């Protein structure tokens, strides 16, 4: 597939182990957990940083918003050597049991027929939009050890933030979806196509159930705190089981 | 949803932990692993047996062929108390690396848009057709311990055995599918809707890659041997982590 | 397409004329109408019996539940020599005029886009899900002669029994559907692909209209009586017009 | 649904029994078979004539080309009192056995997902696109009696004449389609929705199999001859079984 | 694509500039604006007239009702030399701001997935159903100059007049559709495939919003008046910018 | 729809007239054409700058990659007061006539069924993915005046850059698509829903036809030059016809 067009980095610049986030600001936040962080991409504002967590190389990458953007970044990280990608993002709560501030470990992702760019990869099929179970198990166990409370269950990966509604939340939560976000189904399905291990953990920043969707949002500070703690869990998992010197 | 119509059993008759297979003959085979096996359903030839493995209650159920049949059985097992369902079945190899006799642990399942009866549950959506990662991890670890070699990856859940072809095998294996079978996507997706933990392990009985599909099949004896060994692994997992006295 | 995998019979074992039912128990029931009945398959619990009705060879076969299962059985019966397949089954009443105990002769079958396994046979198309008109006419005339009252009209072939609802019943009955069952659309569409003459007669065992779906069911005895009478009508038709010595 | 907008006729103007054709010129041709023919509509060039065949009232109506046009005409004929509509049209041969000049009695009609205007009537479903079997049987028997040789089988109802191709012909003939035309699926499916008995007979005017589609066409004279003979068969059926004085 | 089958004309018979209408009666009406009008087709009642407006050759063609019919006519006009086709038709108002008698200049056309015959041209895609912006701009400017008040916005191209409803009107007007008609999406999309410049202007003859759809219609006289004025605008545009001697 | 979540600006910060680009680097480039440029958003790296071109207020905004990202930005720009949005981006040539360096003015945009996030806005429909014809006409005329050579025609809006192929290029160019990009269909369709005037101009940076897709790319310098010249054209159009002081 040739050289990457968006992520202007060289193969050595990217670790086998990647944490991917939507917002470049969050890459900067999470990079504070790394030693010797090096910015390996700034192109298109999609900041990518590689550094070390406890002697283990880790890359933190911005994937932008939505599957078409994120899938390009994932594909190019793959070309550059990534073998394991965990998305850490925000989500809107769909199920009534899911509250602002909750952490959700994704066990799968539903999506609209033809959505997430996946019908161009596999026209006519619903993809295997499931994370790697071993990697997911290890994240779950590490979260439990750290004492961060979390829920586990499927997400809904949306392509249209402004078309979401309480009615949709009610319908999707009947299908088992805990929260809505915009990139997991693409990441999971591409993972099986390309041979990467994938996972996804989200922090619920707002909820769509109840009378009015997206009325209240988690404060930036609370979000930052949750993100740092959860990212550290992911780095621990990378370091323990998949460490790259 | 009222009383079950197909599985004529009472709530106490079914364990929280179920192994589901397509062929009633295989239920009889696997029941040889149980103590005090009791046939709790014979209706429609869909034999269901409940017994004990190492003091832990286990149900072995026939789901018939294809998602519409299997989903009815799964729904009724759920009504009767099942909380964990692992399908143990046969599959056709899609990817060239998958050989006759291989064991595959499913990490997800792709399916045709509108297929597997799922578009009647969630019209317009591709479901979260992923197994429970914790249960799947435990099956993987137990298989490793037992020394049974296996592959892990997504399956393709087909609704039309006689419409399958080498061309389809080639296309689906590019999407990451290792093997084709007929019930996993329904089981996985229903699991998240109903709140069950699900999993699926298949034995490759034939392959669709190469010149001619379905030319050679695993002998009945070899299949029986693989099934017994794999079922024992599943029962060990049930007993260790989810034991029901 | 090679040898049959599921129906373990030899070509001579199966008549050109087949009555297919979902429940192996019903095969045994209907076999009481035959002379010299011979069980030609027991594999997977899908009992198949061949015998004689008034010197005319007839096969009664179990197709299991749902199109993916039934289509395999139909394909293999075709490989084994069947040229005429009439399904005799139970159905849920959709239209308010359809009552418990009614006999319905199918004149066509609607189904969900992508459903019934048919999108794997003909991706992108709605199939010709209509029975053979000559065979259907003859069944209608024989029913009239026998004095069994019946309705005629299209069925809805469902892939998901537990996703059916009174709302669906109301919608589908506006499209003209009289009753819901799970195999007719597959049988009819395959018939035109493979060159078989097909038909379908159902007995309404429950209704989905009204407040609560599937609340009341026909008793086993009443069902058995209706099935025997209707099966005899089908055998008369086979004997008169398509007799195989 | 209010008064008809396109067919400017009064209820008494239209018989219960209708023959519908695409070309107004053919209405004039077939009207030569009627006594006391009366033009009851000229609006939009969609000539409708009502007259008598052997003391039995018959209407011959133009439906234009394609389902959206024809379905409007059928709906309005229904509002005006039609209870039985048989389309008599031309078709392109798809199956290699189908030759120029052949008569085909339709036993069903396949169509593209979302096509024939039917997804606006029943979004998400494939309709019951089958003719009335009793009416179809009677047409078949009358054709046999008259000595007109014919084939029976499903048609493909196309929405796009200029998108048809030999490749499509080859694909569809594998699904059992004998010929392609542009209105049958709409007529059949509407029939079950509205409670009309429907049928369709086509004359093959050209073939799409072989090297070049639509290269050779039946001469106007040969077509006219076939149409007159076949229309007379339909009128005989109306007169014998459904006569309206 | 060979010779035209429906429009029985010779290449010289058709101008590069075409106004297309649904009703042959309207062709006759608009032909009163032409000098030396010549009927170049009468086949299938699809009257086509070619004449001169201020020394500029113009063709006025009947396209029948619905995209399958109209697309055949457009394709054949293209084969015969048309390079610019503007549909002038009637429409039903969808948006509450659209009143009976309004003129709407189409800026695009939405349609049902799989509808308008377009999925046979481009299976799996939504077409570029937009008119030529330069031609559309010139029509808008000429309308402004003439003082005919009009609205501009997208249309909904329906395949099923009798499946339309106030609920549909409400839904589609939220998507921005001003009015519903039956041919624009096909014309616009074919335009880009075949290289024609296309446009569409409609007169609102009835409205679907409010309590009861299609209750009141514009009188024939008012319609005729609007049509003549609007057609003259189109002919002015042809003459000024695209004149063919 | 509440306050914007992504574009952290106040209503007065955004002009009625917006040029939107994918890459924040290009916002900086184009801002060199403005007087008194003010950065009004940096959040998520989606730089938005507002300034003046010849006394007329203009906003230049980053929309990221792909419709799900861009649609969020467009929706929020709309909330903040934008009434006119023209995308200026890069594209891959599909049609053989389209060469590296070409400027293409979009006249419409095709997309995959279910793609571009649009099926969440209007499930079951193909949207009116056409730009405003008046705005588009004015851009075309201004380009002509400036002497920048350009092509006009429809684009294909893709959701999956890494699923594109020469085979796809060949197919889409038969449907009339000149080039592939990732945001136009969303912008155009939203425009009609929300009441904005939209347009799109792309510079072809690479081509997919020929042996190997995306082999050669336009140099950054050439791209920058084309972008500056084209942006200036857009600003002239804003200033002349839609000037906001």
């Amino acid at each position: 597939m040739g050289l990457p067009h968006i992520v202007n980095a060289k193969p050595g610049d990217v670790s086998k182990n990647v944490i991917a986030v939507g917002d470049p600001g969050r890459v900067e936040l999470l990079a504070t957990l790394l030693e010797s962080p090096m910015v390996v991409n700034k192109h298109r504002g999609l900041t990518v940083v590689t550094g070390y967590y406890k002697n283990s190389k880790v890359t933190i990458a911005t994937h932008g918003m939505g599957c078409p953007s994120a899938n390009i970044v994932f594909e190019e990280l793959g070309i550059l050597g990534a073998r394991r990608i965990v998305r850490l993002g925000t989500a809107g709560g769909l199920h009534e049991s899911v509250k602002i501030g909750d952490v959700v470990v994704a066990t799968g992702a539903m999506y609209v027929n033809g959505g997430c760019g996946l019908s161009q990869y596999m026209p006519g099929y619903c993809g295997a939009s499931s994370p790697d179970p071993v990697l997911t198990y290890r994240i779950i166990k590490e979260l439990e050890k750290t004492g961060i409370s979390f829920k586990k269950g499927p997400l809904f990966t949306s392509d249209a933030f402004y078309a979401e509604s309480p009615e949709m939340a009610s319908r999707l939560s009947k299908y088992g979806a805990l929260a809505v976000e915009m990139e997991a189904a693409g990441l999971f399905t591409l993972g099986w196509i390309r041979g990467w291990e994938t996972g996804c953990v989200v922090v619920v920043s707002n909820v769509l159930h109840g009378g009015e969707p997206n009325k209240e949002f988690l404060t930036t500070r609370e979000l930052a705190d949750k993100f740092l703690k959860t990212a550290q869990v992911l780095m621990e998992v990378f370091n323990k089981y998949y460490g790259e010197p």
Side-chain angles (χ1 to χ4, degrees), chain A:
Chain A
M1 300 190 302
L3 292 178
H5 307 300
I6 302 300
V7 181
N8 278 345
K10 301 178 305 295
D13 290 347
V14 167
S15 166
K16 283 184 161 40
N17 300 317
V18 177
I19 295 172
V21 303
D23 179 352
R26 243 167 250 155
V27 170
E28 284 166 36
L29 177 75
L30 302 190
T32 62
L33 298 169
L34 299 183
E35 285 167 50
S36 319
M38 191 172 62
V39 176
V40 298
N41 186 57
K42 269 294 198 189
H43 187 218
R44 285 189 170 250
L46 297 164
T47 313
V48 180
V49 171
T50 296
Y52 288 84
Y53 178 83
K54 297 191 178 171
N55 299 323
S56 185
K57 198 172 169 183
V58 179
T59 290
I60 306 173
T62 313
H63 57 52
M65 297 186 297
C67 286
S69 172
N71 290 354
I72 291 174
V73 173
F74 300 145
E75 291 273 23
E76 302 205 342
L77 291 170
I79 294 170
L80 292 162
R83 288 297 163 262
R84 207 159 288 106
I85 306 177
V86 181
R87 164 167 147 72
L88 175 56
T90 50
L94 295 174
H95 196 271
E96 297 207 348
S97 70
V98 177
K99 310 291 183 200
I100 292 185
D102 280 3
V103 170
V104 177
V105 177
T107 59
M110 49 195 86
Y111 61 101
V112 162
N113 271 356
C116 298
L118 294 171
S119 69
Q120 288 179 249
Y121 281 94
M122 40 171 83
Y125 291 92
C126 288
S129 57
S130 46
D132 184 78
V134 175
L135 177 53
T136 299
Y137 175 87
R138 286 167 174 165
I139 293 168
I140 285 171
K141 287 295 144 185
E142 193 68 27
L143 279 168
E144 285 174 355
K145 220 172 81 182
T146 324
I148 301 176
S149 78
F150 65 93
K151 293 187 165 62
K152 67 166 204 185
L155 304 175
F156 169 62
T157 300
S158 166
D159 286 332
F161 181 84
Y162 279 95
E164 297 164 10
S165 67
E167 188 280 330
M168 182 199 83
S170 154
R171 190 157 21 95
L172 286 164
S173 71
K174 276 186 204 118
Y175 307 159
L178 297 184
V180 53
E181 50 81 74
M182 296 184 69
E183 295 88 5
L187 174 59
F188 294 164
T189 307
L190 277 187
W192 300 114
I193 297 177
R194 299 299 181 208
W196 318 320
E197 293 162 26
T198 68
C200 178
V201 183
V202 292
V203 180
V204 174
S205 59
N206 57 304
V207 295
L208 279 88
H209 49 71
E212 218 176 317
N214 302 325
K215 198 186 177 177
E216 195 187 341
F217 275 76
L218 206 62
T219 67
T220 309
R221 189 172 197 158
E222 289 166 319
L223 254 182
D225 185 58
K226 288 271 178 180
F227 264 90
L228 283 169
K229 280 182 181 152
T230 315
Q232 199 159 0
V233 162
L234 300 179
M235 291 178 192
E236 279 295 333
V237 169
F238 284 159
N239 185 48
K240 274 188 201 164
Y241 300 101
Y242 311 97
E244 184 190 10

